[in-house]
């Protein structure tokens, strides 16, 4: 009898925690099951965000999808697959598209964005950065089983291949081949692996 009561309490607590977690991301276009979220979570434009099952994140995650900026209009999308683990203090921003496929591990303080404030032209440099138009060089895609190291920066227009490893503090400005290790600023391929599967 005591065992049944303990299981019932455990299941009730699990259900309450799942409901509490889901509220942190209420408004997502799609939200999977089995969330494990440390609060606070800072969000903008969740109607443009899809998150798969078994998503886990540390505290102070920022997910920001901008449908508009000043007079500009966008159709952004942030798509996060199943079994994705994002540690604390990460920032994901989109005006175009950011896709994080299944089973990706992202360490703390990682910045992923498909856009920037302006195009770095002489005319735009004369106004404050916050007032510059947002510009995207293209979507960001992170392939399944990729591992993004601490304080890495993933810039617009980059595709990270399946199973790739991004070294700590790397600044990724170009596509990363599947099953490779990159590091540095700008990130360069240190090693590529041939898989047998």
């Amino acid at each position: 009898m005591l065992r049944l009561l303990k299981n019932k309490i455990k299941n009730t607590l699990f259900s309450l925690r799942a409901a509490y977690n889901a509220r942190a991301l209420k408004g997502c276009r799609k939200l999977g099951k089995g969330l494990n979220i440390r609060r606070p979570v800072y969000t903008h434009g969740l109607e443009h965000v899809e998150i798969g099952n078994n998503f886990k994140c540390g505290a102070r995650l920022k997910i920001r999808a901008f449908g508009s900026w000043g007079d500009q209009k966008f159709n952004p999308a942030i798509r996060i697959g199943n079994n994705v683990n994002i540690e604390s203090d990460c920032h994901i921003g989109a005006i175009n598209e950011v896709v994080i496929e299944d089973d990706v591990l992202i360490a703390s303080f990682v910045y992923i964005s498909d856009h920037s404030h302006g195009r770095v032209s002489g005319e735009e440099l004369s106004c404050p950065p916050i007032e510059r138009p947002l510009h995207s060089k293209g979507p960001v895609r992170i392939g399944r089983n990729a591992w993004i190291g601490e304080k890495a920066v993933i810039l617009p227009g980059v595709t990270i291949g399946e199973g790739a490893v991004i070294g700590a503090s790397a600044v990724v400005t170009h596509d990363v081949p599947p099953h490779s290790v990159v590091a540095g600023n700008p990130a360069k391929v240190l090693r590529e692996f041939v898989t047998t599967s």
Side-chain angles (χ1 to χ4, degrees), residues 144-190:
R144 60 187 307 272
N145 294 326
W147 177 17
I148 314 296
E150 184 109 354
K151 298 182 180 174
V153 175
I154 314 299
L155 293 176
V158 166
T159 295
I160 295 174
E162 179 178 343
V165 176
I166 309 301
S169 299
V171 178
V172 183
T173 59
H174 293 89
D175 290 354
V176 174
H179 310 291
S180 63
V181 177
V182 303
N185 179 5
K188 293 186 177 10
V189 176
L190 302 180

Side-chain angles (χ1 to χ4, degrees), residues 6-28:
K6 282 182 180 179
N7 283 339
K8 188 171 184 176
I9 291 170
K10 183 179 176 181
N11 290 338
T12 301
L13 289 174
F14 181 79
S15 295
L16 288 172
R17 182 176 180 183
Y20 177 75
N21 284 341
R23 277 199 309 269
L25 295 169
K26 185 178 179 184
C28 281

